[in-house]
């Protein structure tokens, strides 16, 4: 979170600290989210996405620990706009005819996780986790509503990115799942006749199933971590504005551009090895056994 229109790191909000806006003081990030919950206790209609959205205020739970604070709840959401027949799988009979105004509302669990400040270091990043059910999820509509609400009510800009991008890309590059690398740069033709109407073009150089050097992988990961101060990529003495990676994941081909990495998201199954502990933790905290979650 940072103040709207701010350009410096000093304007980033400490998640565990207080924040004052319009003469109202909020204790911490969870106080801000409390206002968000109150605003969405009734189903809101997002006509652009054709989805309904609300928060079950009575489902909110907070777990305060020595190292962190976690808050969970239930989101009610569903889409509308299409007609369909609700059919009983056993009798094969249509039990209900769904029209365009009928929204298929489902319950999705979510969690907000914020570490406590350590040795005077203020925490400015937390974690959001959203449950998905089959092909249905609530990450996009939830984050959109959060960003809009925090901007209008608190004067804050909320920034999100997938927390698993760096680790995922690193594993991807080292497990031979990379199918294609495309290097992209702006290019001006040496032939002046080509520039009569367009003074710039785009050049793409694609490598199929490439084997990458360790030094190049390290440089790429530094860009993902934000440790590189450069906005361009220099490869073999040539300058590129963007790099596009295509890879196999869960049987599908996905493509990500590094300059658009902040909008990249992954759906991750809860690993089998955590299910023993997860059974205890999630059943106690959520009241459910984890299915699938999207990390933001």
């Amino acid at each position: 979170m940072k103040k709207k229109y701010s350009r410096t790191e000093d304007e980033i909000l400490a998640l565990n600290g207080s924040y004052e806006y319009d003469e109202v003081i909020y204790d911490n990030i969870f106080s801000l989210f409390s206002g968000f919950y109150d605003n969405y206790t009734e189903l809101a209609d997002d006509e652009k996405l054709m989805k309904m959205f609300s928060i079950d205020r009575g489902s909110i739970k907070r777990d305060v620990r020595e190292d962190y604070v976690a808050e969970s709840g239930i989101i009610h959401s569903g889409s509308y706009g299409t007609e369909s027949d609700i059919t009983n799988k056993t009798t094969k009979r249509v039990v209900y005819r769904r029209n365009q105004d009928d929204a298929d509302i489902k319950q999705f669990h979510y969690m907000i996780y914020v570490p406590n400040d350590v040795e005077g270091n203020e925490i400015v990043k937390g974690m959001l986790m959203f449950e998905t059910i089959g092909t249905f999820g609530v990450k996009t509509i939830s984050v959109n509503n959060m960003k809009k609400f925090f901007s209008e009510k608190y004067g804050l800009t909320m920034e999100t990115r997938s927390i698993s991008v760096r680790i995922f890309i690193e594993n991807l590059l080292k497990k031979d799942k990379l199918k294609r690398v495309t290097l992209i740069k702006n290019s001006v033709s040496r032939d002046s006749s080509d520039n009569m109407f367009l003074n710039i073009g785009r050049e793409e150089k694609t490598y199929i199933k490439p084997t990458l050097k360790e030094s190049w992988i390290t440089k790429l990961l530094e860009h993902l971590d934000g440790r590189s101060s450069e906005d361009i990529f220099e490869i073999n003495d040539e300058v590129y504005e963007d790099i596009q990676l295509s890879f196999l994941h869960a049987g599908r081909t996905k493509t990500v551009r590094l300059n658009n990495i902040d909008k990249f998201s992954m759906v991750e199954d809860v690993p089998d090895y955590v299910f023993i502990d997860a059974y205890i933790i999630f059943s106690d905290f959520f009241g459910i056994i984890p299915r699938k979650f999207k990390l933001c």
Side-chain angles (χ1 to χ4, degrees):
M1 299 283 187
K2 64 180 182 179
K3 294 181 181 179
K4 288 173 63 174
Y5 314 118
S6 63
R7 297 181 178 276
T8 66
E9 296 294 321
D10 296 336
E11 300 296 320
I12 295 179
L13 183 69
L15 300 184
N16 294 310
S18 61
Y19 174 68
E20 183 175 355
Y21 187 73
D22 280 349
E23 299 183 351
V24 178
I25 298 177
Y26 302 92
D27 293 336
N28 49 44
I29 186 64
F30 294 104
S31 296
L32 298 177
F33 270 105
S34 181
F36 175 75
Y37 304 150
D38 292 338
N39 191 71
Y40 283 97
T41 55
E42 300 292 332
L43 280 171
D45 185 2
D46 188 323
E47 295 183 352
K48 183 178 180 180
L49 293 178
M50 290 193 291
K51 280 190 174 183
M52 309 294 288
F53 177 88
S54 70
I55 301 287
D56 184 348
R57 199 66 172 89
S59 70
I60 307 300
K61 297 179 181 179
R62 185 177 301 178
D63 189 19
V64 180
R65 301 292 180 94
E66 182 179 352
D67 299 328
Y68 66 86
V69 178
E71 191 169 77
S72 74
I74 296 175
I75 294 170
H76 295 275
S77 184
S79 59
Y80 59 88
T82 58
E83 296 182 351
S84 63
D85 291 331
I86 309 300
T87 305
N88 184 282
K89 74 179 188 67
T90 303
T91 65
K92 307 299 188 294
R93 293 182 179 179
V94 176
V95 295
Y96 178 71
R97 174 68 177 174
R98 176 185 171 187
N99 62 45
Q100 293 183 355
D101 292 331
D102 292 333
D104 182 15
I105 304 297
K106 297 180 176 63
Q107 291 186 359
F108 300 86
H109 292 79
Y110 73 94
M111 178 185 284
I112 305 168
Y113 172 90
V114 178
N116 293 328
D117 295 344
V118 179
E119 297 179 354
N121 295 318
E122 295 183 329
I123 296 298
V124 297
K125 294 181 181 180
M127 180 170 67
L128 288 169
M129 187 158 51
F130 299 99
E131 181 187 16
T132 62
I133 301 174
T135 60
F136 303 99
V138 289
K139 175 187 171 182
T140 298
I141 190 172
S142 299
V143 173
N144 286 348
N145 286 333
M146 289 174 185
K147 289 183 176 182
K148 180 181 178 182
F149 181 81
F150 291 143
S151 175
E152 295 176 351
K153 300 298 182 181
Y154 301 136
L156 292 171
T157 297
M158 178 182 179
E159 296 185 354
T160 63
R161 65 174 295 174
S162 176
I163 64 172
S164 58
V165 169
R166 204 267 189 195
I167 297 174
F168 177 80
I169 295 297
E170 184 175 12
N171 290 333
L172 166 74
L173 296 176
K174 295 181 178 180
K175 292 183 178 179
D176 297 327
K177 292 187 178 181
L178 189 62
K179 293 182 62 178
R180 185 181 291 108
V181 173
T182 301
L183 308 178
I184 302 170
K185 70 175 181 177
N186 293 328
S187 177
V188 178
S189 174
R190 297 179 180 179
D191 187 346
S192 60
S193 64
D194 290 341
N195 299 326
M196 183 176 297
F197 299 106
L198 299 175
N199 61 5
I200 195 169
R202 190 170 90 158
E203 179 180 319
E204 296 186 357
K205 186 181 294 185
T206 299
Y207 297 88
I208 308 298
K209 294 184 178 180
T211 300
L212 305 178
K213 293 182 178 180
E214 190 67 32
S215 59
W216 195 87
I217 293 177
T218 300
K219 185 175 182 179
L220 180 65
L221 295 176
E222 287 179 350
H223 277 275
L224 295 178
D225 282 341
R227 294 202 303 266
S228 174
S229 60
E230 300 176 358
D231 294 329
I232 58 176
F233 307 89
E234 187 173 340
I235 303 170
N236 297 332
D237 297 324
E238 291 192 62
V239 174
Y240 295 90
E241 281 73 28
D242 202 358
I243 297 177
Q244 182 172 284
L245 306 176
S246 296
F247 53 89
L248 283 175
H249 178 67
R252 297 182 179 181
T253 299
K254 297 201 68 173
T255 300
V256 58
R257 292 179 56 174
L258 299 193
N259 283 346
N260 201 33
I261 199 71
D262 287 344
K263 297 182 179 179
F264 179 72
S265 65
M266 293 294 302
V267 176
E268 302 284 4
D269 286 315
V270 178
D272 292 338
Y273 65 83
V274 305
F275 259 85
I276 296 177
D277 292 335
Y279 183 92
I280 300 172
I281 296 171
F282 278 76
S283 61
D284 178 56
F285 197 74
F286 280 127
I288 64 166
I289 304 304
R291 289 170 286 195
K292 185 178 289 187
F293 288 83
K294 177 169 286 190
L295 302 176
C296 175

